[in-house]
């Protein structure tokens, strides 16, 4: 089973669904919505969505517009730091994607020899406090979950172990996530990730588990497609519910 969850964009779902059918892979339509919580950028996955839902489509279009404005500012700041043509380069790497994100800038910086890999590009240029960083305020947690649930989907908190927040903050985030109707936590980030803390949090809050590689593109230093830990047999796995819904459809 495979889900496509592009950042703030659902335009690739028809092509992905067709390719999955041809390959005999169960496909789950999804999206990854950017939100701001307590000053942090957090990502919420929507799995099993109807991308034709009007409220979801409008909301994602608004986020994409704000992303385009941010991309122009990132390119301007990198240009002022002596790295020209960043917007054109990031746009080229984005291809037909409607969204230009920091990952595309990171790949361009690697391509041009300014960083050894995408992680280094974020550390050196694109992370907070660096020359290419542009702070941004996304939609609220409740708004994103409302869109996802309104489109018939399940809200999953993406890679919670990457936000670098203290246990008290994490508990507050998960409590609010649950209050708004959040359904599951994602474990992933490659086979070397330690899922045990997230397994304990999921059990404490009553969340199901999802798993994903967070694959963005074929690039040095990036996670590979399908490089993800398995959900333990004794845990509640969201994919089982999604499979049951597909079978009943």
């Amino acid at each position: 089973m495979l889900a496509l969850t592009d950042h703030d964009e659902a335009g690739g779902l028809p092509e992905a669904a067709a390719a999955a059918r041809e390959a005999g892979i169960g496909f789950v339509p999804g999206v990854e919505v950017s939100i701001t919580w307590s000053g942090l950028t957090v990502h919420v996955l929507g799995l099993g969505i109807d991308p034709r839902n009007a409220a979801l489509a409008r909301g994602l279009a608004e986020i994409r517009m704000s992303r385009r404005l941010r991309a122009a500012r990132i390119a301007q700041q990198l240009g002022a730091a002596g790295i020209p043509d960043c917007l054109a380069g990031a746009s080229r790497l984005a291809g037909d994607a409607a969204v230009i994100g920091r990952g595309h800038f990171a790949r361009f910086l690697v391509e041009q020899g300014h960083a050894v890999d995408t992680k280094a590009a974020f550390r050196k240029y694109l992370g907070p406090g660096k020359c290419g960083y542009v702070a941004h305020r996304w939609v609220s947690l409740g708004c994103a979950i409302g869109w996802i649930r309104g489109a018939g989907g399940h809200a999953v908190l993406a890679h919670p172990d990457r936000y670098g927040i203290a246990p008290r903050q994490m508990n507050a985030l998960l409590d609010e996530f649950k209050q708004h109707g959040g359904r599951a936590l994602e474990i992933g980030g490659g086979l070397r990730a330690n899922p045990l803390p997230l397994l304990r949090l999921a059990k404490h809050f009553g969340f199901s588990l999802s798993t994903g590689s967070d694959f963005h593109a074929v690039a040095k230093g990036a996670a590979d497609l399908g490089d993800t830990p398995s959900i333990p047999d004794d845990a509640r796995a969201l994919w089982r519910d999604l499979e049951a819904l597909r079978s009943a459809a």
Side-chain angles (χ1 to χ4, degrees):
M1 182 176 287
L2 173 73
L4 178 67
T5 55
D6 284 333
H7 282 283
D8 309 311
E9 168 62 38
L13 294 177
E15 182 182 358
R21 281 195 300 271
E22 185 175 342
I25 297 172
F27 182 72
V28 177
V31 69
E32 186 167 357
V33 184
S34 304
I35 71 113
T36 297
W37 180 86
S38 192
L40 296 171
T41 296
V42 174
H43 295 144
V44 178
L45 299 166
L47 296 180
I49 59 166
D50 178 0
R52 300 166 297 183
N53 179 269
L56 176 64
R58 281 195 305 269
L60 295 179
E62 291 172 2
I63 295 177
R64 290 196 298 274
M65 176 57 71
S66 71
R67 276 182 171 273
R68 284 191 283 271
L69 295 174
R70 185 183 70 153
R73 290 183 60 196
I74 291 173
Q76 183 181 37
Q77 291 179 194
L78 288 172
I83 306 175
D85 304 322
C86 288
L87 186 58
S91 299
R92 171 175 53 80
L93 291 170
D96 294 333
V99 172
I100 301 173
R102 288 189 301 165
H104 299 116
F105 284 101
R107 289 167 58 197
F108 176 73
L109 291 168
V110 173
E111 179 185 84
Q112 298 299 306
H114 297 289
V116 296
D117 57 31
T118 55
K119 291 181 180 179
F122 273 88
R123 286 195 305 269
K124 189 175 179 181
Y125 296 102
L126 299 170
K130 304 305 179 182
C131 62
Y133 179 72
V134 174
H136 195 81
R137 183 160 187 86
W138 309 101
V139 300
S140 69
L141 178 62
C143 183
I145 294 176
W147 291 343
I148 291 166
R149 297 184 70 195
H154 303 282
V156 180
L157 187 63
H159 42 71
D161 53 341
R162 296 190 194 174
Y163 299 127
I165 58 178
R168 182 177 294 181
Q169 280 184 295
M170 178 61 73
N171 286 334
L173 171 58
L174 296 181
D175 186 56
E176 187 174 337
F177 181 69
K178 185 173 183 176
Q179 288 179 26
H180 286 298
R183 178 74 183 277
L185 303 183
E186 181 190 48
I187 58 173
L191 294 174
R192 293 171 296 282
N194 177 17
L196 291 179
L198 292 179
L199 296 179
R200 288 194 290 265
L201 285 170
K203 185 175 181 179
H204 175 76
F205 283 92
F207 291 129
S208 297
L209 292 171
S210 182
T211 186
S213 62
D214 200 32
F215 173 81
H216 281 61
V218 177
K220 185 178 179 181
D224 197 7
L225 184 64
D227 180 14
T228 181
S230 298
I231 296 173
D233 292 337
D234 59 348
R236 293 168 53 188
L238 183 62
W239 71 264
R240 293 192 180 97
D241 296 334
L242 294 169
E243 186 176 51
L245 289 173
R246 286 196 317 111
S247 300

